[in-house]
Every structure is written in structure tokens, then in C-alpha cells.
Amino acid sequence: VATPARFSFRRTIYSHGWYALPPFTVDHQTRTLRRIFELPGGRPAVVEMHDRNGSGITASCPSGATAAERNVLIRGIRACLRLDEEFSEFHAAALSHHEYRWIPRTGSGRLLRSATVFEDVVKMLCTTNCSWSLTEVMIGNLCTKLGVPVDGYGCTFPTAEAIAATSEKFLRKEIRAGYRAPYLLAFARAVAGGSVRPESWRSATVPTAELYDELRSIKGVGPYAAGNVLKLLGHYDYLAIDSWCRKRFSEIHRNGRKVSDRAIEKWYEPFGRWRGLFFWLDLTRDWYKRKIPF
DNA sequence: GCGTCCAGGTCTACC
DNA sequence: GGTAGACCTGGACGC
């Protein structure tokens, strides 16, 4: 799979927490990103991705896959790794700020996303108002209890139809979604029924504010979740500030003093339509020095 | 081991 | 438009 200039496999994988949620897994020893995709018809396919030292990605797919199926998987890989998104303007903006020249130099900026917008929204809902460990529990349960199993590898992410066919009680008690259960069920049923079409949002040419309003109309999706889903759709106008971001900004820019959201927003205003991405990369810069395994 | 308290985003009711 | 309280869970803490 060919990759564009200023692309870093490692920086993309570890850009945020999605790599740790199924159906993604990372083998840190072999530096492999693995994901279970779903082929047309519902058949699962395990794909393993390796970096080729800057000359593309090697992706292995199941033996017996047809040419058409391989093309589906390559499109899926390109979508997850954001290989077709244009970042030259963003990198040029970063070069114009002395303290952000490391961004294009390290190939940063691409945020890992799921194969579908539906999956990204469900995952984002499961990050709200809880610890990361609970998010892992909820997503793990969704996959193992509603996805399609693959021997030795885990399960696919469940379809909207699979979640829609459950009940609030099941999502509350078996998935451990708690009060999010009615939100997940309503969203899955709206997608399965066709009244909400999240996959159309990736190619939408409507203004970001309209997409934001559409996301906010989903019950359970507030400013934080909507702003973050927008970033995964390629729109970086919203910061999506949560408690961790507030704390991190305060440590980096205010010597640990309390700071208002308005002050944080003002700080990143000069970065225009890329401010959400500058914001996130600024706060997570030190991850690559001490937090990630390779 | 048990009970209590708190953090985490969003919604709803109320002012 | 702003604010308080409820929602649910896991983790920290004290006993």
C-alpha cells in the first residue's frame, strides 16, 4: 500500500487510543497493526500491516481473497490510516510556526480511525463520562458479544443491525454501557433503519458547523464527542476539550494553574481551521518520547 | 471485604 | 443562556 510524503506509520497508529480497542490490536514486538475488517457479505478478514521504512505499508490479507476483496481491504486500510487525506496545507502551517516544525518533520497529523463512521461514533460515545478502562470493557463486550468471531484473533466490530437488534437492558447489563445504553440503541436503530447515514459524512462537502449540528443531534453526543468525531471525519475546527486535555494544557502552558475552556480556545484561534489538530498534537507531543512502545 | 466518595461528559429541568 | 442535579461505573480510599 503506497503512502504519501510525511506519513509516519508509528505516529498514526499511536495518534490516540483507538489502536488499543478491538477490532484493532497492535503487536509491539513485531510493530504490527492488526485489524479485523468486514468484507461485503459480512465475512471477516484479518489484515496485518507493517511499515516498510518509509516506502509504503505491507499488508497481508487472508489467502483466498479475490481481487475485488483485496481492493475492499486496501480501501479500508487507506481509510483507517488517512492515506488519501490532504495534509500539505496543515504541514505548511506547522512549518510557519517555529515550535511546531516537529509536526511535518515527524510525519504527524493523521489520526487513526475505524473502518466505518458508525464504529467511530459508537466508540466515542463509549469514551464519555468514564475511565479509559471502562471504555475498553464496553468496546470489548460489543465485539465479543455482537461481532463475528475469528479464531485466534477476536471479533469484528458489530454492525448497526446487530446492535439495533438488542435491547436497552442487554446493552446496560451485558455490555456495561450503563446510562449510555438508550443512546447506543437509538443511534444503532437510526443507522440500521436508514434515517441517519453516518458513512456519508466522510465525503460530505457541507460546512463543518452543519456536520457538528448533525452529530450533536445524536443523543449522548455532546461538544466533546462531536468535536472528536469531526476530527476523524477530517474537520479540525473544534477542539473537543475534555478533563485530560484541560489538565495537560494547564501543565504545558499555565504551569499547572487552572484554565478556562475559553482561554484554551483563544490560545489555538491563530491556527484557523487546523486548530483542533494543533491542539491535540500539542497536548500529546510527549507521548512519543515516553509513552508508546516503539 | 465492605461501604463511601469521586471523576468523567451529557441531558433535562429549572431559573 | 446559564446552572444544578441525575445518570452509571470503576477505582481510590478508609475502616
Side-chain angles (χ1 to χ4, degrees):
Chain A
V1 180
T3 53
R6 287 177 174 155
F7 165 78
S8 165
F9 184 57
R10 170 177 175 267
R11 294 250 169 189
T12 304
I13 292 176
Y14 294 113
S15 53
H16 64 119
W18 263 208
Y19 72 87
L21 298 177
F24 280 117
T25 49
V26 175
D27 184 329
H28 304 301
Q29 298 300 319
T30 60
R31 304 185 172 191
T32 303
L33 174 67
R34 184 184 296 128
R35 185 188 157 89
I36 309 175
F37 285 92
E38 199 176 304
L39 291 167
R43 192 159 64 89
V46 180
V47 173
E48 294 189 332
M49 294 161 254
H50 306 264
D51 189 21
R52 296 180 58 185
N53 294 323
S55 60
I57 303 287
T58 298
S60 61
C61 66
S63 57
T66 65
E69 287 174 337
R70 283 202 298 274
N71 283 334
V72 167
L73 294 174
I74 288 170
R75 278 201 300 276
I77 292 165
R78 299 194 72 81
C80 291
L81 299 178
R82 322 289 290 265
L83 298 180
D84 297 315
E85 209 167 308
E86 187 50 64
F87 283 95
S88 53
E89 187 191 317
F90 167 68
H91 284 146
L95 281 172
S96 70
H97 295 272
H98 184 261
E99 68 275 30
Y100 292 113
R101 287 185 183 161
W102 63 271
I103 292 176
R105 193 178 64 241
T106 56
S108 302
R110 289 178 166 82
L111 305 178
L112 183 69
R113 66 182 177 187
S114 307
T116 67
V117 182
F118 172 73
E119 182 182 326
D120 278 332
V121 173
V122 169
K123 282 179 170 168
M124 206 61 76
L125 265 170
C126 292
T127 67
T128 59
N129 203 25
C130 66
S131 60
W132 180 251
S133 59
L134 181 55
T135 299
E136 291 181 312
V137 167
M138 288 187 269
I139 301 304
N141 284 336
L142 279 171
C143 292
T144 54
K145 298 186 180 190
L146 297 172
V148 178
V150 183
D151 277 350
Y153 288 103
C155 301
T156 59
F157 193 82
T159 60
E161 289 75 12
I163 299 178
T166 67
S167 65
E168 191 179 316
K169 188 179 171 192
F170 174 86
L171 294 172
R172 199 178 279 271
K173 297 297 170 197
E174 299 293 322
I175 304 299
R176 310 294 295 166
Y179 72 92
R180 299 166 200 81
Y183 303 153
L184 290 172
L185 193 59
F187 178 60
R189 286 183 174 166
V191 174
S195 59
V196 173
R197 296 173 48 246
E199 302 319 313
S200 69
W201 300 339
R202 277 192 187 166
S203 54
T205 52
V206 299
T208 306
E210 278 183 37
L211 272 178
Y212 179 81
D213 288 344
E214 183 146 11
L215 284 161
R216 291 285 278 108
S217 70
I218 300 166
K219 279 276 198 305
V221 175
Y224 150 85
N228 273 330
V229 171
L230 277 176
K231 289 177 191 173
L232 301 182
L233 293 170
H235 300 257
Y236 305 98
D237 313 56
Y238 294 83
L239 301 193
I241 302 169
D242 66 2
S243 57
W244 181 84
C245 293
R246 249 172 239 123
K247 180 169 170 286
R248 192 74 196 110
F249 180 91
S250 141
E251 288 167 357
I252 295 172
H253 298 293
R254 291 287 193 275
N255 207 17
R257 277 177 289 123
K258 193 172 157 60
V259 58
S260 70
D261 287 3
R262 182 66 203 114
I264 299 175
E265 280 162 10
K266 208 165 171 52
W267 181 275
Y268 293 97
E269 260 175 21
F271 299 102
R273 72 187 188 92
W274 298 103
R275 57 189 176 273
L277 198 46
F278 275 101
F279 166 71
W280 182 249
L281 293 175
D282 197 19
L283 302 191
T284 59
R285 181 178 181 180
D286 73 331
W287 282 7
Y288 301 91
K289 291 181 191 152
R290 57 187 173 89
K291 228 185 147 180
I292 63 173
F294 74 84

